[in-house]
Amino acid sequence: KDPADSKRRTCYALAWYEGKKDKKNKEMWCVDIIHVYSLNPEYVRSLPKTITKTTTTVNSDDTNTSITVNSDGTIIRYDRNTGNSIVYRPQDNKKASSIDVPIKNSGDFIQRFNDLRTEYIQVVQFAGKEQTFFANRIMPPVNKMLQLCREHSKLLKSNERNSCMGILDDMKQSARDKGIREMLNLAQTYLGGK
């Protein structure tokens, strides 16, 4: 409690997370420190309808990025140095997706594969260099693509299989996160019939 005012107190919240490696390739840990000075806090009895979380990072090239995540899934990445912002709304992908169409033939497979590829590209372009930070947004289309290849690749003809393998190669080149690359490798393995 504040000795000058018994009704007010100071609280600190610390959130640790793994940062990028430093110049000597050593692991770095970062911390968000939240300082609250207010009247005696009370428990939150109900959450607001909209919850927004914002974090700011300083990148290795000294750029400053602010990332805001809203409760509806919308993510806003704002570059404080350039003033540019990018908005990603995963809910927009669901409206035009073929995700509910059953896979009965190679045409259904290709349509679903392309929808998942489009979703993946949008998230990867949004994430930029911070793909590991946004892995929870990038992995869902990758996991669905993996499942698609595992369960339905037998529907594809040889030329369709080769085209999908080439597309997965391109996707791997844009993946900066090892986990994402490994899942795309596994999808290729399933496409190859193994």
Side-chain angles (χ1 to χ4, degrees):
K1 289 187 175 181
D2 185 341
D5 183 349
S6 63
K7 294 183 179 181
R8 300 183 82 79
R9 73 173 66 206
T10 299
C11 300
Y12 293 95
L14 306 176
W16 290 92
Y17 60 94
E18 194 171 352
K20 297 178 183 178
K21 292 185 178 183
D22 66 9
K23 292 179 182 176
K24 295 180 182 177
N25 208 27
K26 290 186 178 181
E27 296 290 333
M28 290 176 39
W29 285 88
C30 302
V31 63
D32 282 338
I33 301 174
I34 300 140
H35 172 225
V36 178
Y37 176 73
S38 68
L39 294 173
N40 281 344
E42 294 182 19
Y43 288 108
V44 174
R45 307 239 184 268
S46 63
L47 292 174
K49 290 183 180 177
T50 303
I51 300 171
T52 300
K53 182 180 186 288
T54 302
T55 184
T56 301
T57 59
V58 178
N59 302 319
S60 57
D61 57 356
D62 287 333
T63 58
N64 213 335
T65 305
S66 172
I67 299 163
T68 302
V69 181
N70 294 329
S71 56
D72 66 353
T74 300
I75 306 171
I76 303 160
R77 192 178 77 191
Y78 174 68
D79 185 327
R80 292 171 183 259
N81 294 42
T82 64
N84 295 333
S85 62
I86 301 172
V87 178
Y88 170 67
R89 294 180 181 84
Q91 60 272 30
D92 292 347
N93 292 331
K94 295 173 186 169
K95 294 174 186 170
S97 177
S98 63
I99 208 70
D100 296 327
V101 177
I103 307 297
K104 296 179 181 174
N105 55 47
S106 63
D108 296 336
F109 182 101
I110 298 294
Q111 182 180 356
R112 173 86 54 88
F113 188 89
N114 284 329
D115 285 348
L116 292 170
R117 176 182 171 268
T118 301
E119 187 177 340
Y120 168 84
I121 288 170
Q122 287 174 342
V123 183
V124 164
Q125 286 177 343
F126 172 82
K129 294 178 182 177
E130 293 95 19
Q131 287 185 18
T132 300
F133 183 82
F134 286 106
N136 65 332
R137 301 286 179 180
I138 297 172
M139 286 307 287
V142 172
N143 288 334
K144 289 173 190 171
M145 190 170 277
L146 178 64
Q147 181 181 4
L148 176 69
C149 293
R150 184 180 64 235
E151 295 176 3
H152 301 289
S153 62
K154 61 188 173 292
L155 297 171
L156 298 176
K157 297 175 185 165
S158 177
N159 61 340
E160 294 168 331
R161 192 180 303 266
N162 289 339
S163 293
C164 291
M165 294 276 268
I167 289 169
L168 287 170
D169 277 334
D170 288 343
M171 291 170 68
K172 283 192 300 188
Q173 288 179 6
S174 67
R176 295 174 186 239
D177 181 81
K178 183 177 180 178
I180 295 166
R181 284 193 306 273
E182 288 300 317
M183 291 304 102
L184 293 171
N185 276 334
L186 191 54
Q188 279 187 312
T189 302
Y190 289 132
L191 273 177
K194 297 175 185 173

